[in-house]
Amino acid sequence: MAPSRRSNHLKILAGEREDHINRNEPLPAESTIVPPVQLSEGAQAVWDRLAPDLIDKGCLTSWDVDMFTIYCDAAATYHECRRAMGSEYTTKGSVRDTTVKSPLWRIMKDSADTMRTIGAKFGLTPSDRAGIDVAEQTPPSKHGPERILSW
């Protein structure tokens, strides 16, 4: 399976070769970035913790809020299930004297899978961040006079 595609912004931060960067990608208009729906308390806490930094780094735009909302919901669900489950990963089964994996464990696993998949798109996993060097300045745009003048 091929690695998932990264956004141009993450490619630039990672120092990708110029021929791998689409300098003509469509960009959303500047606007206030807010959740598209009322979030649960847990999801809002995740949004409040991560969104400002992602917005500042240019990884979260107005076009991305729906997908990031799904990430926030998945993270909140994961943490809620973890608290509800406590340290007990098993529960009594329907057959006498048996134990089975807690149903909350499956929900946690599904939430973690969603977080891993969507989080990668925003550079939220360690492996996605590994190639990003934020100390580097973003190269100048190649659209205006700077493409010729190289400043």
Side-chain angles (χ1 to χ4, degrees):
M1 185 167 90
S4 63
R5 295 181 60 174
R6 291 189 296 179
S7 69
N8 279 327
H9 186 76
L10 291 177
K11 287 179 183 179
I12 291 168
L13 287 175
E16 286 270 337
R17 291 185 354 212
E18 187 63 32
D19 62 326
H20 289 183
I21 298 171
N22 176 9
R23 294 288 180 180
N24 297 316
E25 76 172 326
L27 298 174
E30 292 286 325
S31 64
T32 303
I33 299 171
V34 296
V37 295
Q38 180 69 36
L39 299 175
S40 69
E41 186 177 321
Q44 185 67 52
V46 174
W47 180 284
D48 293 343
R49 181 171 51 90
L50 297 176
D53 203 23
L54 290 171
I55 293 167
D56 183 56
K57 304 271 186 302
C59 294
L60 179 59
T61 70
S62 60
W63 289 354
D64 308 316
V65 295
D66 293 309
M67 192 58 63
F68 188 64
T69 298
I70 295 169
Y71 176 88
C72 294
D73 283 336
T77 300
Y78 176 89
H79 294 300
E80 288 170 22
C81 288
R82 183 70 187 95
R83 277 190 294 279
M85 194 170 61
S87 62
E88 297 298 319
Y89 291 89
T90 59
T91 189
K92 290 182 182 181
S94 59
V95 177
R96 195 174 119 216
D97 296 329
T98 62
T99 57
V100 295
K101 193 181 299 182
S102 169
L104 294 172
W105 177 255
R106 182 66 200 170
I107 296 170
M108 282 176 53
K109 183 179 180 333
D110 290 346
S111 296
D113 290 343
T114 300
M115 290 168 58
R116 187 179 312 105
T117 301
I118 295 174
K121 307 295 184 196
F122 293 99
L124 294 177
T125 64
S127 59
D128 288 307
R129 280 193 310 273
I132 299 173
D133 183 356
V134 293
E136 292 181 16
Q137 294 296 319
T138 303
S141 169
K142 298 292 182 181
H143 297 296
E146 58 274 9
R147 66 186 162 89
I148 298 168
L149 301 174
S150 298
W151 37 305

